Amino acid sequence: MAPPRCLCRALLPALALALLGLAAAAGPRQTPALELAQELAEELWSAGLPGDLPELEPECRSLLAAFAEGSAALTGCLGQRARPVRLCQGCHGPYRRLLAQYGSIARAVGNSSESHNCAKSILTSDRLQIVVTLSEFFNETWEAANCANCLKNNSEGLSNSTEEFLDLFNKSLTCFEHNLQGQGIDLSPNNYTEVCKNCNETYTKLNDLYNHLQRMNRQGGESAHSAHLCIDVEDAMNITRKLWSRTFNCSLPCSDTVPVIAVSSFILFLPIVFYLSSFLHSKQKKRILILPKRIQSNANLVNIQEKYS
């Protein structure tokens, strides 16, 4: 009994691919076999493909192409700004566009009554779910970088405090570079006294602003996403502190020195005060206990004298 016509048509593409694979595996020396396989494959393909394969509508295909271009643009942006870290400053635009493109896919429906929903066709039609996986990766990367702490509420640009910090950061690097001009590349601490002296004020302002931003963020100031600042600000401060302390061997005078010395001295003198007060308190108790005995002995002496007088 001959197999059904539809089953044969469904097996044609697979058979054609198998023939091409066998011919390719035979190697370049067996040219006649390769040519025969190609001819058979062309004859099989000319018989036509099954007509029930699901096809994306033009609208859905356009949305998928836009998401692919947005993913490529955001990936390139993140890679180019990985070191030094400038993700939040330079990639918030591509990230916002990718979110909009993914939202368009999730909401879009094909125009034809026979077509499937674009979201179902693109997002959940297979086990791998490439578009969903890519979207989750970008969202997790953005949240791990805490970029929301650097941006305004609508994510259209950097916040005022971030711009102020980056301005001081650039001034600090400019000061370092200016004071290093004409000096040899020697990591000896003696060669960087000019940097420590001339850039101390700028670095102090930068360090104080960073500490202020950290306190504000912990208290839920500009953003409540995380206890950390955005990765751009943290990386910039780490770079500056390494240059200041390790490369230039500079240091900042501690403003808490006097309170620390006062508290330490007070704690050191506490045992002395305790033992001195204990000693004086015990002496007072001895006086109170001995005094009545003396008074009683004097009274007895007076009674004895009166008795024999």
Side-chain angles (χ1 to χ4, degrees):
M1 181 178 179
R5 182 181 180 85
C6 62
L7 180 60
C8 292
R9 289 175 61 85
L11 293 176
L12 289 178
L15 182 58
L17 292 175
L19 289 172
L20 287 174
L22 290 174
R29 293 182 180 180
Q30 300 181 3
T31 306
L34 179 59
E35 291 178 353
L36 178 61
Q38 288 177 346
E39 291 176 0
L40 290 174
E42 290 176 0
E43 292 178 1
L44 291 173
W45 280 106
S46 63
L49 293 173
D52 58 349
L53 290 179
E55 290 288 339
L56 285 177
E57 288 188 359
E59 178 188 357
C60 300
R61 191 176 298 279
S62 175
L63 292 173
L64 182 59
F67 181 83
E69 292 177 1
S71 300
L74 182 55
T75 302
C77 183
L78 295 177
Q80 292 172 2
R81 290 165 175 80
R83 273 326 295 169
V85 183
R86 300 292 184 267
L87 306 183
C88 306
Q89 302 173 55
C91 300
H92 61 88
Y95 177 71
R96 289 179 61 222
R97 288 191 289 271
L98 188 69
L99 288 181
Q101 291 162 352
Y102 183 83
S104 299
I105 293 176
R107 294 188 302 268
V109 179
N111 295 326
S112 174
S113 59
E114 297 180 355
S115 65
H116 296 90
N117 188 313
C118 289
K120 183 178 180 181
S121 301
I122 297 175
L123 303 180
T124 60
S125 61
D126 57 82
R127 177 178 60 84
L128 198 56
Q129 299 181 4
I130 290 293
V131 174
V132 176
T133 303
L134 286 174
S135 178
E136 290 178 351
F137 165 75
F138 289 125
N139 288 333
E140 290 173 359
T141 302
W142 199 256
E143 291 176 3
N146 293 317
C147 288
N149 289 333
C150 282
L151 305 175
K152 297 177 181 178
N153 293 331
N154 53 8
S155 299
E156 292 182 353
L158 298 176
S159 62
N160 295 333
S161 58
T162 303
E163 290 182 350
E164 181 182 1
F165 175 85
L166 293 177
D167 180 63
L168 281 175
F169 170 69
N170 292 328
K171 288 181 179 178
S172 299
L173 294 185
T174 302
C175 183
F176 295 162
E177 182 180 2
H178 176 73
N179 286 274
L180 285 174
Q181 290 179 355
Q183 296 186 8
I185 305 177
D186 185 3
L187 296 182
S188 175
N190 297 327
N191 290 340
Y192 300 116
T193 54
E194 293 296 322
V195 176
C196 299
K197 181 176 66 175
N198 297 332
C199 302
N200 180 72
E201 182 179 357
T202 306
Y203 176 79
T204 302
K205 290 181 179 179
L206 179 69
N207 191 66
D208 292 343
L209 179 59
Y210 181 80
N211 294 333
H212 173 72
L213 292 177
Q214 278 189 320
R215 290 192 298 268
M216 291 292 294
N217 191 58
R218 292 193 187 101
Q219 297 172 2
E222 293 188 358
S223 176
H225 287 268
S226 173
H228 294 280
L229 296 174
C230 73
I231 189 64
D232 292 23
V233 172
E234 288 183 344
D235 185 70
M237 195 66 224
N238 288 337
I239 290 174
T240 313
R241 283 176 172 173
K242 287 179 181 179
L243 288 173
W244 182 260
S245 59
R246 296 182 183 179
T247 304
F248 304 141
N249 199 25
C250 302
S251 61
L252 285 177
C254 184
S255 59
D256 298 331
T257 303
V258 176
V260 168
I261 293 176
V263 172
S264 302
S265 302
F266 175 75
I267 294 175
L268 289 175
F269 278 101
L270 273 180
I272 300 175
V273 174
F274 172 76
Y275 285 114
L276 182 61
S277 61
S278 300
F279 175 76
L280 295 177
H281 187 64
S282 61
K283 292 283 290 182
Q284 186 68 21
K285 280 189 174 182
K286 287 182 180 180
R287 287 184 180 181
I288 295 174
L289 292 175
I290 294 173
L291 185 58
K293 292 182 179 180
R294 292 179 178 178
I295 295 174
Q296 184 177 2
S297 61
N298 292 334
N300 292 336
L301 181 59
V302 171
N303 292 334
I304 293 173
Q305 290 178 354
E306 290 179 354
K307 183 177 180 181
Y308 289 98
S309 61

